[in-house]
Amino acid sequence: MAESNSILNPNGLGVNQRHDAWWLSPLLTFLGLGGFGVYSTWAAFQGAHYEWGPYLSPFYSPNIQKMFGWSYPFSFAFVFLWIPLGFRGTCYYYRKAYYRAFFLDPPGCAVGEPAGRAYRGETGFPFILQNVHRYFFYLATVVLAFLWYDAVEGFFFRNEITGQREFHVGVGSLVLLVNVIALSGFSFGCNSLRHLVGGKLDCFSCTANARMRYKLWGGVSILNLKHMEWAWVSLFTVGFADVYVRLCSMGIWHDMRIF
Amino acid sequence: MSTRTFKIFRGDKEGGKDVDYNVEVEEGMVVLDAVHQIQRTQAGDLACRWNCKAAKCGSCSAEVNGKPRLMCKTRLDDFPEGETISVHPIKAFPIIRDLVTDVSWNYEVNKKIPPFTPRKDANWVMYQEDMDRVQEFRKCIECFLCQDVCHVLRNHDKKDQFYGPRFMVRVASLEMHPLDGLDRTKLLKNEGGIGLCNITKCCTEVCPEDIHITDNAIIPLKERVVDQFYDPVQMIWRALTGGNDGNKNPGLQQKD
């Protein structure tokens, strides 16, 4: 056999022998995450149209401006927005997604990568910082509690005549509720939480405490099985919730009262 | 009965080329059937490793249309009619001949992992909830498709720094065993190179036993490494309570 066996060891970006559309998934991920990144950055910089009636955009929660009456020289969305951003940025699912779609490391399974890069994985800066994921989970849980508060508040409208708070259901109330449910599904299926509540134990049956943690671990594992789906659904709902509140506030959309 | 074209790599470490073979195929055939037919009728010297033909021995790993698969579990009717099917040896390991590669590096890695070592006070009564996690890992048939598709080994050739997903599964099966008494987290972080894994989940995608390699083995092990080496609160807690600080007996200390 005189021919080179370089056909077995092709190298270089995108080199592969797959016959399927392997590029579609990273392309959609690139567009989805990139589009969300651009929109959320734009929305956070606005500092306006983040509330309408009882609705508050999740990008601006908690509304510290209203809570404390402080004024900021910049959009106060940035005071807390780094928390969910950090939580998603260090999430094990999103790591897979953006390592493939943005860093092409690799762009797909059994697909070539850009040549000449020194690979260190998550052993060196900056990716070694992925190990702080559990701390972002702790902080994101606090933000999530505020989002639940906002979602509940979204059902209590101020009567313009009497000034009383009244329970009603608007489309926006449901948008905020669905959003916070999706965010909870994403947060409580977190791999770090799965480890902390019980995954770190070697023996689930040894003590009463371990048996309780086994049940918690099982519950988190159920959510974790669909962590990718929760990640995408919650990314969409959080973006849409901001769009909904923004367009209502701008008078472009009119919130429909269901009840 | 219809005819399909197979493009099969023929060659060795000196070089080689793809050779086309036309094969009469029947309903229900898998790629390994076609390879056997080629051996029988057209190329008696075509080298191919196989054994059980039931997706349980892990011998017939190859790259079919560029994807790592077991040839015995890849049905021909999975591919569009008329499409040429390419069959190459797995890329991550040195070729011996045709579809056969030298996977002995994996056995050398296996020897580096301290085996099951029961706790001194082990109570040999076990319950199903303790074994479920470990039993998933015991499904591994050592086909090494996960090793082949892992880009750390395949594209970056870090075999001197990273054990690969197959051995992350093996370490997980030991670390999560309720009766095992060794702590291998330091081994994982250093010699095992778990930090080189960037969770792209290709190993999970190709596993013929549907083991959730990334979610159930690698990520939980990464979290154990975080406990030991990166989480300041846990490090302080261990220091205050006299717990394992990860440095008493590198990689091989008894669990508490």
Side-chain angles (χ1 to χ4, degrees):
Chain A
M1 294 290 176
E3 291 82 354
S4 159
N5 64 4
S6 61
I7 58 170
L8 292 183
N9 297 301
N11 286 311
L13 178 60
V15 174
N16 74 95
Q17 296 181 326
R18 288 177 59 166
H19 293 197
D20 57 340
W22 62 267
W23 45 269
L24 187 60
S25 173
L27 177 65
L28 292 175
T29 302
F30 180 83
L31 294 174
L33 291 183
F36 180 83
V38 169
Y39 174 76
S40 58
T41 305
W42 174 83
F45 267 110
Q46 297 311 298
H49 298 298
Y50 53 80
E51 60 182 341
W52 182 87
Y55 307 151
L56 175 66
S57 161
F59 291 168
Y60 288 81
S61 181
N63 189 346
I64 46 174
Q65 193 143 289
K66 190 184 261 181
M67 270 183 208
F68 304 113
W70 298 339
S71 62
Y72 294 87
F74 52 87
S75 167
F76 75 89
F78 290 106
V79 175
F80 290 104
L81 207 52
W82 59 275
I83 294 173
L85 179 71
F87 181 49
R88 286 188 192 259
T90 57
C91 160
Y92 285 99
Y93 165 68
Y94 281 110
R95 276 143 80 169
K96 169 206 164 179
Y98 64 71
Y99 283 137
R100 285 197 193 187
F102 287 83
F103 294 92
L104 309 172
D105 210 4
C109 300
V111 176
E113 302 174 25
R117 288 197 307 201
Y119 179 77
R120 292 191 303 165
E122 297 182 340
T123 60
F125 185 81
F127 296 121
I128 197 168
L129 297 177
Q130 307 281 27
N131 290 314
V132 303
H133 183 53
R134 60 183 60 175
Y135 285 92
F136 276 115
F137 168 78
Y138 302 144
L139 294 170
T141 304
V142 176
V143 174
L144 187 64
F146 281 105
L147 289 171
W148 270 105
Y149 172 80
D150 297 337
V152 171
E153 282 293 300
F155 287 89
F156 293 93
F157 292 71
R158 183 80 55 193
N159 186 314
E160 289 176 10
I161 299 165
T162 64
Q164 298 292 310
R165 273 160 52 92
E166 295 175 354
F167 179 81
H168 293 289
V169 180
V171 171
S173 317
L174 299 180
V175 167
L176 294 183
L177 181 65
V178 168
N179 175 49
V180 79
I181 290 170
L183 287 171
S184 302
F186 171 61
S187 298
F188 295 121
C190 167
N191 289 89
S192 287
L193 176 66
R194 188 177 181 229
H195 170 75
L196 293 164
V197 297
K200 65 190 296 180
L201 300 176
D202 294 336
C203 182
F204 286 138
S205 63
C206 292
T207 62
N209 179 268
R211 285 191 287 277
M212 186 195 70
R213 291 178 69 178
Y214 173 63
K215 287 178 184 166
L216 285 171
W217 175 81
V220 176
S221 297
I222 290 169
L223 287 173
N224 183 261
L225 270 177
K226 299 285 181 191
H227 201 43
M228 178 184 78
E229 288 81 354
W230 284 112
W232 280 107
V233 168
S234 63
L235 194 75
F236 173 78
T237 59
V238 77
F240 182 73
D242 180 82
V243 169
Y244 190 88
V245 174
R246 186 170 300 281
L247 294 183
C248 285
S249 168
M250 295 168 79
I252 297 171
W253 280 1
H254 299 283
D255 184 54
M256 196 171 79
R257 186 72 59 86
I258 298 168
F259 167 75
Chain B
M1 200 77 117
S2 63
T3 303
R4 293 201 78 138
T5 303
F6 289 81
K7 193 181 281 292
I8 298 182
F9 178 81
R10 301 299 311 274
D12 53 28
K13 64 181 179 184
E14 303 299 323
K17 63 180 179 181
D18 284 337
V19 177
D20 286 352
Y21 298 96
N22 292 320
V23 177
E24 293 285 317
V25 299
E26 295 175 34
E27 190 180 355
M29 278 178 71
V30 293
V31 170
L32 186 59
D33 290 324
V35 169
H36 282 163
Q37 197 178 120
I38 291 165
Q39 283 180 320
R40 199 165 55 244
T41 60
Q42 302 176 58
D45 61 344
L46 171 60
C48 161
R49 186 184 280 132
W50 72 285
N51 197 336
C52 73
K53 207 173 166 292
K56 285 295 165 201
C57 72
S59 302
C60 63
S61 301
E63 301 198 0
V64 182
N65 281 359
K67 288 179 89 169
R69 296 166 181 260
L70 291 180
M71 288 193 284
C72 70
K73 207 180 175 185
T74 307
R75 293 173 62 100
L76 299 184
D77 53 18
D78 285 347
F79 303 100
E81 208 167 321
E83 182 181 85
T84 297
I85 297 172
S86 73
V87 187
H88 280 191
I90 51 178
K91 183 187 168 187
F93 300 105
I95 186 166
I96 297 175
R97 209 182 109 195
D98 300 338
L99 300 179
V100 179
T101 51
D102 177 4
V103 294
S104 57
W105 172 78
N106 293 289
Y107 303 118
E108 296 307 314
V109 172
N110 198 35
K111 290 176 192 167
K112 296 177 187 170
I113 300 171
F116 174 70
T117 308
R119 294 173 188 271
K120 290 184 186 120
D121 59 344
N123 171 9
W124 291 87
V125 176
M126 289 183 285
Y127 293 89
Q128 190 59 44
E129 60 262 37
D130 292 319
M131 300 314 297
D132 282 339
R133 285 189 299 182
V134 181
Q135 280 177 330
E136 181 190 12
F137 305 138
R138 301 290 292 187
K139 290 195 301 180
C140 177
I141 57 174
E142 294 208 315
C143 61
F144 303 128
L145 290 178
C146 56
Q147 302 284 80
D148 178 48
V149 81
C150 172
H151 76 122
V152 182
L153 303 174
R154 180 189 182 92
N155 295 344
H156 300 289
D157 199 23
K158 298 274 187 189
K159 293 193 183 76
D160 55 337
Q161 297 171 44
F162 183 51
Y163 285 176
R166 156 61 193 136
F167 297 102
M168 296 297 146
V169 167
R170 173 153 156 70
V171 173
S173 76
L174 295 164
E175 283 296 287
M176 296 177 194
H177 196 292
L179 301 184
D180 182 77
L182 293 186
D183 183 348
R184 298 168 185 80
T185 46
K186 191 157 193 174
L187 181 82
L188 272 174
K189 178 178 178 284
N190 298 331
E191 292 90 332
I194 194 169
L196 286 170
C197 170
N198 67 344
I199 330 278
T200 50
K201 296 200 176 185
C202 290
C203 49
T204 303
E205 285 185 24
V206 302
C207 179
E209 285 292 320
D210 294 321
I211 300 171
H212 292 208
I213 298 172
T214 320
D215 283 308
N216 289 349
I218 297 179
I219 292 174
L221 290 178
K222 272 183 172 265
E223 286 293 317
R224 288 178 184 226
V225 170
V226 174
D227 281 349
Q228 197 88 341
F229 297 100
Y230 298 107
D231 186 334
V233 173
Q234 298 219 27
M235 288 157 87
I236 292 167
W237 175 259
R238 278 195 303 275
L240 290 176
T241 59
N244 178 359
D245 66 3
N247 293 313
K248 288 176 184 169
N249 183 12
L252 296 173
Q253 62 269 34
Q254 282 274 334
K255 286 174 185 168
D256 298 332

